[in-house]
Amino acid sequence: MIISPSHITNTQRGILLMLAASFLFSLTMLTAKLLAGSMGAVEVTFWRNAVGLGVLFVFLYRKPIHNIGGRPYTLIFRGVIGTIALLTFFYTISATSLSNAIIYAKTEPIFTAILAFVLLGEKLKLRAVFAIIIGFIGVVTLSGLEISYLHIMGILTGFLSALAYTSVRSLKAHYDERTVVLSFMFFGVLIPLLLMIGAEFITSEAFAFALNVFVMPHGLAWLWIVLMGFAAAFGQLYMTRAYYYAKAGLVSTISYSVILFASFFGVLLGDVLPSPLIMAGGLLIIMSGILLAREK
């Protein structure tokens, strides 16, 4: 028996949309990994947002934006912080396996819960505190009990992403969601462009993730760039729609399917399987995120 689209419930639509978004986000990671061999994380960030801007403008043409406005500095903050988070994320993709990179990024719910408590005054239930503790144990375990540049960049990805998402909460009542995405993509083009110019004159080991010179893409790189931009843009769109159809806690839990997709693509690329210690840390982080999602 074939179920027609009209018989699918909103919850089922939300689940299917989040699964599609997770697949597209993992495809974004795959193409970013393929590009990492010929260009730095800064340029990957630039192209990801440049193509995404083109896709977004098509949607804006079809349905113009209407904003209440009133929080321009928060809007700018979201764009800048989100861009820096993307820079650190693409750096971790270039420096480690896809499964490790996405698990680092999935520390975001842990930091979001803490920031919501500190900045927005949201209450933390005992279960949420327990989940946060589990998450931090997972972070320490994932690092292999070492503090390296890669580990710092991975954790920074989670923290900055949480800061960006927390700021979005205060923007929802003032701006169309496409305006928030537009701010993110605009700075996602401008900041990498400035960094690539600066990289011609500046060198720094501490900021190696943010200083790459521009390298003109050639051959298959152009295909990966276009595929990355479209996958990221539509992944964002499907994720947003998923939260519209289903409860946030359920959608957040389903979003962890991106780890499975990313791990599969990583195996295709020849990634080495993680050690038992790293796998244990990853499982604790995933458990923490799911427990926090159930609180939503």
Side-chain angles (χ1 to χ4, degrees):
M1 179 179 178
I2 299 176
I3 300 176
S4 65
S6 60
H7 290 85
I8 297 177
T9 66
N10 282 343
T11 297
Q12 290 171 331
R13 283 193 179 92
I15 292 172
L16 291 174
L17 284 166
M18 192 63 243
L19 286 172
S22 293
F23 175 79
L24 289 170
F25 286 144
S26 64
L27 190 60
T28 303
M29 295 176 62
L30 171 64
T31 49
K33 186 76 169 182
L34 291 170
L35 287 168
S38 59
M39 64 181 67
V42 178
E43 187 173 351
V44 173
T45 303
F46 169 81
W47 287 118
R48 184 266 193 202
N49 289 292
V51 175
L53 268 179
V55 175
L56 182 60
F57 281 138
V58 172
F59 286 106
L60 294 180
Y61 177 78
R62 293 172 59 185
K63 184 180 179 182
I65 288 176
H66 297 287
N67 296 313
I68 297 175
R71 296 200 171 182
Y73 296 114
T74 306
L75 189 64
I76 292 172
F77 177 81
R78 191 271 179 266
V80 173
I81 292 298
T83 297
I84 299 173
L86 198 57
L87 286 170
T88 57
F89 180 51
F90 282 145
Y91 174 83
T92 59
I93 287 177
S94 68
T96 188
S97 65
L98 292 184
S99 57
N100 280 10
I102 192 60
I103 289 175
Y104 275 123
K106 281 300 182 179
T107 59
E108 172 266 318
I110 303 170
F111 293 111
T112 297
I114 295 172
L115 289 171
F117 171 72
V118 175
L119 300 179
L120 303 180
E122 294 184 7
K123 294 183 179 180
L124 277 178
K125 296 181 180 179
L126 184 60
R127 286 180 297 181
V129 175
F130 177 66
I132 291 171
I133 293 173
I134 289 177
F136 276 113
I137 293 173
V139 169
V140 174
T141 307
L142 180 64
S143 69
L145 306 179
E146 295 179 1
I147 299 296
S148 65
Y149 188 80
L150 171 61
H151 181 59
I152 292 172
M153 289 300 103
I155 299 304
L156 198 57
T157 298
F159 174 74
L160 293 175
S161 297
L163 203 55
Y165 291 143
T166 302
S167 67
V168 169
R169 296 191 188 186
S170 62
L171 292 172
K172 284 184 178 180
H174 299 267
Y175 296 96
D176 185 295
E177 63 188 25
R178 291 169 298 166
T179 301
V180 179
V181 176
L182 182 62
S183 170
F184 172 44
M185 289 188 175
F186 170 75
F187 285 104
V189 170
L190 178 62
I191 293 175
L193 188 61
L194 294 175
L195 288 172
M196 285 187 289
I197 293 173
E200 297 285 351
F201 311 98
I202 304 170
T203 57
S204 171
E205 291 186 6
F207 294 97
F209 76 97
L211 293 172
N212 308 138
V213 295
F214 179 80
V215 178
M216 179 59 70
H218 62 277
L220 276 177
W222 286 113
L223 174 62
W224 305 141
I225 286 170
V226 173
L227 185 57
M228 176 178 63
F230 272 84
F234 281 96
Q236 188 72 38
L237 175 64
Y238 290 161
M239 182 184 71
T240 302
R241 287 183 178 177
Y243 278 100
Y244 176 82
Y245 284 114
K247 292 182 179 180
L250 175 61
V251 173
S252 296
T253 301
I254 299 299
S255 72
Y256 280 87
S257 61
V258 70
I259 297 175
L260 298 177
F261 291 126
S263 298
F264 172 73
F265 284 137
V267 170
L268 292 181
L269 289 177
D271 283 348
V272 178
L273 292 177
S275 67
L277 188 65
I278 291 177
M279 290 181 65
L283 287 173
L284 287 173
I285 291 171
I286 293 170
M287 185 188 303
S288 171
I290 292 174
L291 287 173
L292 288 170
R294 292 174 66 88
E295 294 293 317
K296 295 181 181 180

